[in-house]
Amino acid sequence: AEALQMVVADSSIAEVVLRGSGDDFCAGGDLAEFGSSADPATAHGVRSTRNVAALLDACSARVRVEVQGACVGAGIELPAFASKVSARRDAFFQLPEVSMGLVPGAGGTVSIPRRIGRQRTALMALTGMRVDAATARDWGLVD
């Protein structure tokens, strides 16, 4: 969040490249954090102080994301804000939140429909279907 705050504040930063290390880009949020706050209002307040989705949206024209392997939950919700998303052939995308009683809460209900439309976003979110890199490219989820 701090790095993106700097990018938003400094228009001289021409490009930001986000990439993961290892076999997977991002497996999503840390499930151990869910339910760890005293109440939902406190949890929301904490998340709001570090709203990476809003920051990415604010500087999206200067952000490029390179993904590989698992891009699950926030692992595709956040990259979808970027102006360019490239994916290795082994990449796959999934929104499993609904099966856990959650909603795509890292901005995916905004970022993903911008790229693939409401119907395909709903299909991914409601079914938890796994989308391979070729399909993601055909749909426009990756470039």
Side-chain angles (χ1 to χ4, degrees), residues 7-78:
V7 174
V8 169
D10 185 352
S11 62
S12 72
I13 298 172
E15 182 181 49
V16 174
V17 179
L18 300 177
R19 56 174 78 93
S21 63
D23 294 333
D24 299 304
F25 178 73
C26 179
D30 182 355
L31 297 180
E33 289 183 3
F34 291 99
S36 62
S37 292
D39 58 77
T42 301
H44 177 71
V46 169
R47 283 190 307 274
S48 295
T49 64
R50 295 169 190 86
N51 192 335
V52 175
L55 293 166
L56 279 168
D57 194 35
C59 63
S60 63
R62 298 181 283 153
V63 177
R64 176 170 52 98
V65 182
E66 300 171 358
V67 301
Q68 77 282 354
C71 303
V72 178
I76 188 51
E77 294 175 64
L78 295 172

Side-chain angles (χ1 to χ4, degrees), residues 83-123:
S83 62
K84 181 160 177 89
V85 180
S86 62
R88 287 194 337 209
R89 291 176 199 242
D90 69 337
F92 67 90
F93 309 89
Q94 198 168 8
L95 296 173
E97 289 91 339
V98 170
S99 69
M100 295 180 264
L102 304 168
V103 296
T109 57
V110 174
S111 64
I112 295 173
R114 288 180 185 171
R115 286 184 160 270
I116 66 173
R118 293 185 324 240
Q119 290 79 14
R120 286 182 173 150
T121 302
L123 177 65

